[in-house]
Amino acid sequence: MTATSGLGAFGTVQSASPQLLRSVFRRHAAGVAVITARGETGPVGFTATSLASVSAEPPLLSFGIGTGSSSWPAIAATDHVGVHILGEHQEDLAATFARSGADRFGAPTAWREGPEGVPVLDGVLAWLVCRVVTRVPAGDHRIVLAEVVLGDPAGVGRPLLYHQGRFGALRD
């Protein structure tokens, strides 16, 4: 029996491929975060929708990063990262950190050096400084597992979402 035998009633069944994975995950709404780190030549950062809570005891989270990303060398070498949960008012900030070649930390990005030298973005819903525990190879990405050191959950607003290739907001 093949993987598609007897599945005609289900619609367009496709074999595993990068395109299938992308098509399915475009339908999955995800919160938007920016991950930052101190690099050898200055701060680095990127937009991530792969952020996940892993454990409460100890407090652990994970995120994915492509090894071809301009931020990867700094993330590969650093001991600490910043994790920022973006609000629906920060679509432009998310787009800046997602754009290749952008001056991510230039104006109008508001940020400061935080604990452990981690760049901390201003005006976010919440931020954390985390100690990198490990980096797990996963295809053309690495899954970074990090332990929360400290943070601030007190930002105001509603979360920014990513769905169908666009940034958006929750609807009531």
Side-chain angles (χ1 to χ4, degrees), residues 113-158:
E113 186 173 313
E116 303 295 339
V118 171
V120 175
L121 302 176
D122 292 341
V124 296
L125 296 186
W127 61 267
L128 299 166
V129 170
C130 303
R131 181 184 60 79
V132 174
V133 174
T134 193
R135 298 161 188 89
V136 180
D140 61 355
H141 278 62
R142 295 296 180 266
I143 304 302
V144 178
L145 187 65
E147 184 173 7
V148 175
V149 175
L150 55 88
D152 182 354
V156 177
R158 294 164 47 117

mmCIF file of all heavy atoms in Angstrom, residues 113-158:
data_model
loop_
_atom_site.group_PDB
_atom_site.id
_atom_site.type_symbol
_atom_site.label_atom_id
_atom_site.label_comp_id
_atom_site.label_asym_id
_atom_site.label_seq_id
_atom_site.Cartn_x
_atom_site.Cartn_y
_atom_site.Cartn_z
ATOM 1 N N GLU A 113 21.883 47.911 25.574
ATOM 2 C CA GLU A 113 22.623 46.728 26.016
ATOM 3 C C GLU A 113 22.043 46.279 27.340
ATOM 4 O O GLU A 113 21.934 47.058 28.285
ATOM 5 C CB GLU A 113 24.111 47.036 26.167
ATOM 6 C CG GLU A 113 24.909 45.791 26.488
ATOM 7 C CD GLU A 113 26.407 46.016 26.492
ATOM 8 O OE1 GLU A 113 26.907 46.642 25.536
ATOM 9 O OE2 GLU A 113 27.057 45.565 27.454
ATOM 10 N N GLY A 114 21.651 45.021 27.402
ATOM 11 C CA GLY A 114 21.049 44.463 28.606
ATOM 12 C C GLY A 114 22.005 43.565 29.359
ATOM 13 O O GLY A 114 23.215 43.550 29.089
ATOM 14 N N PRO A 115 21.453 42.792 30.277
ATOM 15 C CA PRO A 115 22.275 41.862 31.050
ATOM 16 C C PRO A 115 23.060 40.915 30.141
ATOM 17 O O PRO A 115 22.593 40.538 29.067
ATOM 18 C CB PRO A 115 21.228 41.092 31.867
ATOM 19 C CG PRO A 115 20.062 42.038 31.964
ATOM 20 C CD PRO A 115 20.047 42.772 30.652
ATOM 21 N N GLU A 116 24.245 40.550 30.579
ATOM 22 C CA GLU A 116 25.139 39.659 29.829
ATOM 23 C C GLU A 116 25.530 40.227 28.469
ATOM 24 O O GLU A 116 25.956 39.506 27.580
ATOM 25 C CB GLU A 116 24.517 38.269 29.651
ATOM 26 C CG GLU A 116 24.126 37.579 30.928
ATOM 27 C CD GLU A 116 25.318 37.232 31.832
ATOM 28 O OE1 GLU A 116 26.467 37.155 31.330
ATOM 29 O OE2 GLU A 116 25.103 37.042 33.038
ATOM 30 N N GLY A 117 25.346 41.556 28.287
ATOM 31 C CA GLY A 117 25.695 42.200 27.029
ATOM 32 C C GLY A 117 24.710 41.954 25.899
ATOM 33 O O GLY A 117 24.971 42.313 24.750
ATOM 34 N N VAL A 118 23.580 41.334 26.209
ATOM 35 C CA VAL A 118 22.576 40.993 25.191
ATOM 36 C C VAL A 118 21.820 42.254 24.767
ATOM 37 O O VAL A 118 21.371 43.024 25.616
ATOM 38 C CB VAL A 118 21.592 39.944 25.751
ATOM 39 C CG1 VAL A 118 20.417 39.730 24.809
ATOM 40 C CG2 VAL A 118 22.311 38.634 26.018
ATOM 41 N N PRO A 119 21.654 42.484 23.463
ATOM 42 C CA PRO A 119 20.824 43.610 23.006
ATOM 43 C C PRO A 119 19.369 43.375 23.402
ATOM 44 O O PRO A 119 18.805 42.311 23.113
ATOM 45 C CB PRO A 119 20.974 43.588 21.482
ATOM 46 C CG PRO A 119 22.151 42.716 21.203
ATOM 47 C CD PRO A 119 22.261 41.761 22.341
ATOM 48 N N VAL A 120 18.765 44.346 24.076
ATOM 49 C CA VAL A 120 17.360 44.260 24.500
ATOM 50 C C VAL A 120 16.569 45.327 23.751
ATOM 51 O O VAL A 120 16.908 46.513 23.803
ATOM 52 C CB VAL A 120 17.228 44.449 26.029
ATOM 53 C CG1 VAL A 120 15.767 44.489 26.444
ATOM 54 C CG2 VAL A 120 17.965 43.330 26.775
ATOM 55 N N LEU A 121 15.538 44.890 23.054
ATOM 56 C CA LEU A 121 14.696 45.804 22.270
ATOM 57 C C LEU A 121 13.681 46.493 23.166
ATOM 58 O O LEU A 121 13.110 45.873 24.069
ATOM 59 C CB LEU A 121 13.959 45.020 21.174
ATOM 60 C CG LEU A 121 14.851 44.254 20.201
ATOM 61 C CD1 LEU A 121 13.997 43.438 19.237
ATOM 62 C CD2 LEU A 121 15.768 45.207 19.450
ATOM 63 N N ASP A 122 13.436 47.767 22.901
ATOM 64 C CA ASP A 122 12.451 48.543 23.654
ATOM 65 C C ASP A 122 11.048 48.338 23.085
ATOM 66 O O ASP A 122 10.887 48.086 21.886
ATOM 67 C CB ASP A 122 12.784 50.036 23.593
ATOM 68 C CG ASP A 122 14.061 50.391 24.338
ATOM 69 O OD1 ASP A 122 14.498 49.593 25.190
ATOM 70 O OD2 ASP A 122 14.618 51.461 24.056
ATOM 71 N N GLY A 123 10.045 48.473 23.947
ATOM 72 C CA GLY A 123 8.656 48.499 23.512
ATOM 73 C C GLY A 123 8.043 47.161 23.173
ATOM 74 O O GLY A 123 6.959 47.105 22.597
ATOM 75 N N VAL A 124 8.710 46.064 23.513
ATOM 76 C CA VAL A 124 8.175 44.737 23.218
ATOM 77 C C VAL A 124 7.193 44.303 24.307
ATOM 78 O O VAL A 124 7.145 44.892 25.385
ATOM 79 C CB VAL A 124 9.306 43.700 23.060
ATOM 80 C CG1 VAL A 124 10.188 44.049 21.867
ATOM 81 C CG2 VAL A 124 10.145 43.583 24.324
ATOM 82 N N LEU A 125 6.400 43.265 24.016
ATOM 83 C CA LEU A 125 5.447 42.773 25.011
ATOM 84 C C LEU A 125 6.156 42.122 26.192
ATOM 85 O O LEU A 125 5.697 42.219 27.322
ATOM 86 C CB LEU A 125 4.486 41.759 24.398
ATOM 87 C CG LEU A 125 3.552 42.251 23.319
ATOM 88 C CD1 LEU A 125 2.579 41.149 22.933
ATOM 89 C CD2 LEU A 125 2.795 43.491 23.774
ATOM 90 N N ALA A 126 7.246 41.447 25.901
ATOM 91 C CA ALA A 126 8.015 40.763 26.943
ATOM 92 C C ALA A 126 9.393 40.446 26.382
ATOM 93 O O ALA A 126 9.558 40.333 25.170
ATOM 94 C CB ALA A 126 7.313 39.469 27.357
ATOM 95 N N TRP A 127 10.372 40.331 27.277
ATOM 96 C CA TRP A 127 11.705 39.917 26.851
ATOM 97 C C TRP A 127 12.342 39.039 27.907
ATOM 98 O O TRP A 127 11.997 39.100 29.083
ATOM 99 C CB TRP A 127 12.604 41.106 26.500
ATOM 100 C CG TRP A 127 12.872 42.082 27.595
ATOM 101 C CD1 TRP A 127 12.177 43.219 27.866
ATOM 102 C CD2 TRP A 127 13.906 42.014 28.592
ATOM 103 N NE1 TRP A 127 12.715 43.861 28.952
ATOM 104 C CE2 TRP A 127 13.779 43.139 29.410
ATOM 105 C CE3 TRP A 127 14.927 41.103 28.845
ATOM 106 C CZ2 TRP A 127 14.625 43.376 30.496
ATOM 107 C CZ3 TRP A 127 15.788 41.342 29.926
ATOM 108 C CH2 TRP A 127 15.626 42.473 30.723
ATOM 109 N N LEU A 128 13.271 38.205 27.436
ATOM 110 C CA LEU A 128 14.027 37.306 28.296
ATOM 111 C C LEU A 128 15.494 37.352 27.897
ATOM 112 O O LEU A 128 15.815 37.546 26.723
ATOM 113 C CB LEU A 128 13.554 35.854 28.124
ATOM 114 C CG LEU A 128 12.108 35.545 28.470
ATOM 115 C CD1 LEU A 128 11.720 34.171 27.913
ATOM 116 C CD2 LEU A 128 11.900 35.601 29.971
ATOM 117 N N VAL A 129 16.360 37.161 28.847
ATOM 118 C CA VAL A 129 17.762 36.874 28.586
ATOM 119 C C VAL A 129 17.945 35.419 28.983
ATOM 120 O O VAL A 129 17.534 35.002 30.069
ATOM 121 C CB VAL A 129 18.716 37.794 29.371
ATOM 122 C CG1 VAL A 129 20.151 37.304 29.258
ATOM 123 C CG2 VAL A 129 18.599 39.225 28.859
ATOM 124 N N CYS A 130 18.524 34.650 28.064
ATOM 125 C CA CYS A 130 18.659 33.210 28.260
ATOM 126 C C CYS A 130 20.094 32.766 28.050
ATOM 127 O O CYS A 130 20.797 33.300 27.199
ATOM 128 C CB CYS A 130 17.773 32.466 27.266
ATOM 129 S SG CYS A 130 16.025 32.914 27.355
ATOM 130 N N ARG A 131 20.485 31.741 28.808
ATOM 131 C CA ARG A 131 21.799 31.114 28.652
ATOM 132 C C ARG A 131 21.642 29.939 27.696
ATOM 133 O O ARG A 131 20.784 29.073 27.895
ATOM 134 C CB ARG A 131 22.310 30.619 30.006
ATOM 135 C CG ARG A 131 23.685 29.964 29.946
ATOM 136 C CD ARG A 131 24.101 29.411 31.306
ATOM 137 N NE ARG A 131 23.180 28.410 31.814
ATOM 138 C CZ ARG A 131 23.148 27.124 31.428
ATOM 139 N NH1 ARG A 131 24.013 26.697 30.529
ATOM 140 N NH2 ARG A 131 22.282 26.288 31.952
ATOM 141 N N VAL A 132 22.441 29.917 26.649
ATOM 142 C CA VAL A 132 22.362 28.828 25.677
ATOM 143 C C VAL A 132 22.863 27.538 26.335
ATOM 144 O O VAL A 132 23.955 27.498 26.897
ATOM 145 C CB VAL A 132 23.185 29.154 24.413
ATOM 146 C CG1 VAL A 132 23.219 27.948 23.470
ATOM 147 C CG2 VAL A 132 22.608 30.383 23.715
ATOM 148 N N VAL A 133 22.037 26.507 26.262
ATOM 149 C CA VAL A 133 22.376 25.204 26.836
ATOM 150 C C VAL A 133 22.997 24.303 25.772
ATOM 151 O O VAL A 133 24.009 23.650 26.019
ATOM 152 C CB VAL A 133 21.112 24.537 27.430
ATOM 153 C CG1 VAL A 133 21.398 23.125 27.905
ATOM 154 C CG2 VAL A 133 20.533 25.386 28.550
ATOM 155 N N THR A 134 22.390 24.265 24.579
ATOM 156 C CA THR A 134 22.912 23.436 23.495
ATOM 157 C C THR A 134 22.342 23.898 22.165
ATOM 158 O O THR A 134 21.354 24.644 22.118
ATOM 159 C CB THR A 134 22.605 21.933 23.730
ATOM 160 O OG1 THR A 134 23.365 21.144 22.828
ATOM 161 C CG2 THR A 134 21.134 21.627 23.576
ATOM 162 N N ARG A 135 22.981 23.451 21.106
ATOM 163 C CA ARG A 135 22.537 23.705 19.730
ATOM 164 C C ARG A 135 22.467 22.352 19.048
ATOM 165 O O ARG A 135 23.485 21.684 18.900
ATOM 166 C CB ARG A 135 23.515 24.636 19.016
ATOM 167 C CG ARG A 135 23.622 26.012 19.672
ATOM 168 C CD ARG A 135 24.912 26.715 19.218
ATOM 169 N NE ARG A 135 25.143 27.937 19.969
ATOM 170 C CZ ARG A 135 25.816 28.009 21.117
ATOM 171 N NH1 ARG A 135 26.325 26.917 21.670
ATOM 172 N NH2 ARG A 135 25.983 29.167 21.718
ATOM 173 N N VAL A 136 21.271 21.957 18.644
ATOM 174 C CA VAL A 136 21.047 20.623 18.092
ATOM 175 C C VAL A 136 20.938 20.700 16.571
ATOM 176 O O VAL A 136 20.089 21.438 16.051
ATOM 177 C CB VAL A 136 19.747 20.013 18.670
ATOM 178 C CG1 VAL A 136 19.505 18.619 18.113
ATOM 179 C CG2 VAL A 136 19.791 19.993 20.191
ATOM 180 N N PRO A 137 21.774 19.955 15.822
ATOM 181 C CA PRO A 137 21.646 19.946 14.365
ATOM 182 C C PRO A 137 20.273 19.421 13.949
ATOM 183 O O PRO A 137 19.777 18.429 14.494
ATOM 184 C CB PRO A 137 22.752 18.980 13.909
ATOM 185 C CG PRO A 137 23.733 18.958 15.035
ATOM 186 C CD PRO A 137 22.901 19.133 16.282
ATOM 187 N N ALA A 138 19.649 20.105 12.989
ATOM 188 C CA ALA A 138 18.335 19.717 12.482
ATOM 189 C C ALA A 138 18.239 20.128 11.020
ATOM 190 O O ALA A 138 17.775 21.222 10.695
ATOM 191 C CB ALA A 138 17.227 20.374 13.313
ATOM 192 N N GLY A 139 18.737 19.298 10.120
ATOM 193 C CA GLY A 139 18.745 19.629 8.695
ATOM 194 C C GLY A 139 19.612 20.850 8.450
ATOM 195 O O GLY A 139 20.751 20.920 8.919
ATOM 196 N N ASP A 140 19.057 21.847 7.730
ATOM 197 C CA ASP A 140 19.816 23.072 7.435
ATOM 198 C C ASP A 140 19.663 24.116 8.543
ATOM 199 O O ASP A 140 20.009 25.273 8.366
ATOM 200 C CB ASP A 140 19.398 23.653 6.082
ATOM 201 C CG ASP A 140 17.936 24.050 6.018
ATOM 202 O OD1 ASP A 140 17.190 23.802 6.999
ATOM 203 O OD2 ASP A 140 17.525 24.608 4.990
ATOM 204 N N HIS A 141 19.142 23.709 9.688
ATOM 205 C CA HIS A 141 18.933 24.588 10.844
ATOM 206 C C HIS A 141 19.643 24.014 12.069
ATOM 207 O O HIS A 141 20.131 22.885 12.053
ATOM 208 C CB HIS A 141 17.437 24.720 11.151
ATOM 209 C CG HIS A 141 16.753 25.727 10.304
ATOM 210 N ND1 HIS A 141 16.664 25.624 8.929
ATOM 211 C CD2 HIS A 141 16.112 26.870 10.643
ATOM 212 C CE1 HIS A 141 15.999 26.655 8.453
ATOM 213 N NE2 HIS A 141 15.651 27.434 9.474
ATOM 214 N N ARG A 142 19.633 24.794 13.117
ATOM 215 C CA ARG A 142 20.000 24.329 14.440
ATOM 216 C C ARG A 142 18.848 24.701 15.362
ATOM 217 O O ARG A 142 18.274 25.791 15.233
ATOM 218 C CB ARG A 142 21.289 24.983 14.959
ATOM 219 C CG ARG A 142 22.528 24.635 14.165
ATOM 220 C CD ARG A 142 22.855 23.148 14.242
ATOM 221 N NE ARG A 142 24.038 22.800 13.483
ATOM 222 C CZ ARG A 142 24.033 22.374 12.228
ATOM 223 N NH1 ARG A 142 22.899 22.252 11.556
ATOM 224 N NH2 ARG A 142 25.160 22.057 11.615
ATOM 225 N N ILE A 143 18.521 23.807 16.277
ATOM 226 C CA ILE A 143 17.549 24.099 17.323
ATOM 227 C C ILE A 143 18.360 24.517 18.540
ATOM 228 O O ILE A 143 19.200 23.752 19.023
ATOM 229 C CB ILE A 143 16.675 22.873 17.668
ATOM 230 C CG1 ILE A 143 15.980 22.331 16.417
ATOM 231 C CG2 ILE A 143 15.679 23.227 18.773
ATOM 232 C CD1 ILE A 143 15.109 23.316 15.694
ATOM 233 N N VAL A 144 18.133 25.727 18.987
ATOM 234 C CA VAL A 144 18.850 26.247 20.145
ATOM 235 C C VAL A 144 17.978 26.057 21.374
ATOM 236 O O VAL A 144 16.822 26.479 21.392
ATOM 237 C CB VAL A 144 19.197 27.737 19.956
ATOM 238 C CG1 VAL A 144 19.903 28.292 21.185
ATOM 239 C CG2 VAL A 144 20.054 27.929 18.706
ATOM 240 N N LEU A 145 18.512 25.405 22.362
ATOM 241 C CA LEU A 145 17.842 25.201 23.638
ATOM 242 C C LEU A 145 18.506 26.152 24.627
ATOM 243 O O LEU A 145 19.741 26.168 24.737
ATOM 244 C CB LEU A 145 18.007 23.748 24.088
ATOM 245 C CG LEU A 145 17.245 23.312 25.324
ATOM 246 C CD1 LEU A 145 15.743 23.379 25.063
ATOM 247 C CD2 LEU A 145 17.652 21.885 25.692
ATOM 248 N N ALA A 146 17.687 26.969 25.304
ATOM 249 C CA ALA A 146 18.251 27.994 26.188
ATOM 250 C C ALA A 146 17.468 28.061 27.493
ATOM 251 O O ALA A 146 16.249 27.895 27.512
ATOM 252 C CB ALA A 146 18.233 29.349 25.480
ATOM 253 N N GLU A 147 18.202 28.329 28.580
ATOM 254 C CA GLU A 147 17.597 28.450 29.909
ATOM 255 C C GLU A 147 17.395 29.919 30.250
ATOM 256 O O GLU A 147 18.304 30.737 30.117
ATOM 257 C CB GLU A 147 18.497 27.808 30.961
ATOM 258 C CG GLU A 147 17.883 27.819 32.342
ATOM 259 C CD GLU A 147 18.705 27.040 33.353
ATOM 260 O OE1 GLU A 147 19.830 26.601 33.028
ATOM 261 O OE2 GLU A 147 18.200 26.870 34.479
ATOM 262 N N VAL A 148 16.187 30.243 30.706
ATOM 263 C CA VAL A 148 15.852 31.618 31.067
ATOM 264 C C VAL A 148 16.658 32.030 32.295
ATOM 265 O O VAL A 148 16.705 31.313 33.301
ATOM 266 C CB VAL A 148 14.342 31.758 31.346
ATOM 267 C CG1 VAL A 148 14.009 33.155 31.839
ATOM 268 C CG2 VAL A 148 13.535 31.405 30.099
ATOM 269 N N VAL A 149 17.294 33.208 32.193
ATOM 270 C CA VAL A 149 18.064 33.768 33.302
ATOM 271 C C VAL A 149 17.253 34.854 34.002
ATOM 272 O O VAL A 149 17.151 34.880 35.217
ATOM 273 C CB VAL A 149 19.407 34.343 32.800
ATOM 274 C CG1 VAL A 149 20.162 35.037 33.906
ATOM 275 C CG2 VAL A 149 20.251 33.243 32.167
ATOM 276 N N LEU A 150 16.673 35.756 33.203
ATOM 277 C CA LEU A 150 15.833 36.826 33.732
ATOM 278 C C LEU A 150 15.023 37.430 32.601
ATOM 279 O O LEU A 150 15.248 37.125 31.437
ATOM 280 C CB LEU A 150 16.667 37.910 34.422
ATOM 281 C CG LEU A 150 17.781 38.568 33.614
ATOM 282 C CD1 LEU A 150 17.262 39.758 32.831
ATOM 283 C CD2 LEU A 150 18.863 39.025 34.558
ATOM 284 N N GLY A 151 14.059 38.275 32.941
ATOM 285 C CA GLY A 151 13.256 38.891 31.889
ATOM 286 C C GLY A 151 12.236 39.866 32.435
ATOM 287 O O GLY A 151 12.189 40.131 33.633
ATOM 288 N N ASP A 152 11.418 40.378 31.532
ATOM 289 C CA ASP A 152 10.382 41.342 31.875
ATOM 290 C C ASP A 152 9.132 41.029 31.053
ATOM 291 O O ASP A 152 9.141 41.191 29.826
ATOM 292 C CB ASP A 152 10.866 42.759 31.572
ATOM 293 C CG ASP A 152 9.857 43.830 31.951
ATOM 294 O OD1 ASP A 152 8.723 43.496 32.353
ATOM 295 O OD2 ASP A 152 10.195 45.015 31.830
ATOM 296 N N PRO A 153 8.049 40.582 31.717
ATOM 297 C CA PRO A 153 6.821 40.237 31.011
ATOM 298 C C PRO A 153 5.789 41.363 30.970
ATOM 299 O O PRO A 153 4.638 41.130 30.597
ATOM 300 C CB PRO A 153 6.278 39.084 31.871
ATOM 301 C CG PRO A 153 6.636 39.515 33.264
ATOM 302 C CD PRO A 153 8.007 40.184 33.122
ATOM 303 N N ALA A 154 6.179 42.584 31.320
ATOM 304 C CA ALA A 154 5.206 43.637 31.600
ATOM 305 C C ALA A 154 4.866 44.577 30.449
ATOM 306 O O ALA A 154 4.258 45.617 30.671
ATOM 307 C CB ALA A 154 5.681 44.459 32.807
ATOM 308 N N GLY A 155 5.238 44.244 29.208
ATOM 309 C CA GLY A 155 4.881 45.107 28.080
ATOM 310 C C GLY A 155 3.366 45.158 27.888
ATOM 311 O O GLY A 155 2.638 44.283 28.334
ATOM 312 N N VAL A 156 2.926 46.183 27.186
ATOM 313 C CA VAL A 156 1.494 46.397 26.995
ATOM 314 C C VAL A 156 1.125 46.138 25.537
ATOM 315 O O VAL A 156 1.836 46.562 24.628
ATOM 316 C CB VAL A 156 1.115 47.846 27.385
ATOM 317 C CG1 VAL A 156 -0.354 48.115 27.123
ATOM 318 C CG2 VAL A 156 1.462 48.100 28.840
ATOM 319 N N GLY A 157 0.018 45.463 25.330
ATOM 320 C CA GLY A 157 -0.489 45.251 23.983
ATOM 321 C C GLY A 157 -0.841 43.807 23.723
ATOM 322 O O GLY A 157 -0.872 42.977 24.631
ATOM 323 N N ARG A 158 -1.097 43.535 22.445
ATOM 324 C CA ARG A 158 -1.462 42.200 22.003
ATOM 325 C C ARG A 158 -0.371 41.668 21.075
ATOM 326 O O ARG A 158 0.342 42.442 20.460
ATOM 327 C CB ARG A 158 -2.803 42.264 21.280
ATOM 328 C CG ARG A 158 -3.932 42.647 22.225
ATOM 329 C CD ARG A 158 -5.191 43.096 21.499
ATOM 330 N NE ARG A 158 -5.607 42.251 20.409
ATOM 331 C CZ ARG A 158 -6.753 41.577 20.370
ATOM 332 N NH1 ARG A 158 -7.591 41.654 21.367
ATOM 333 N NH2 ARG A 158 -7.055 40.846 19.310
#
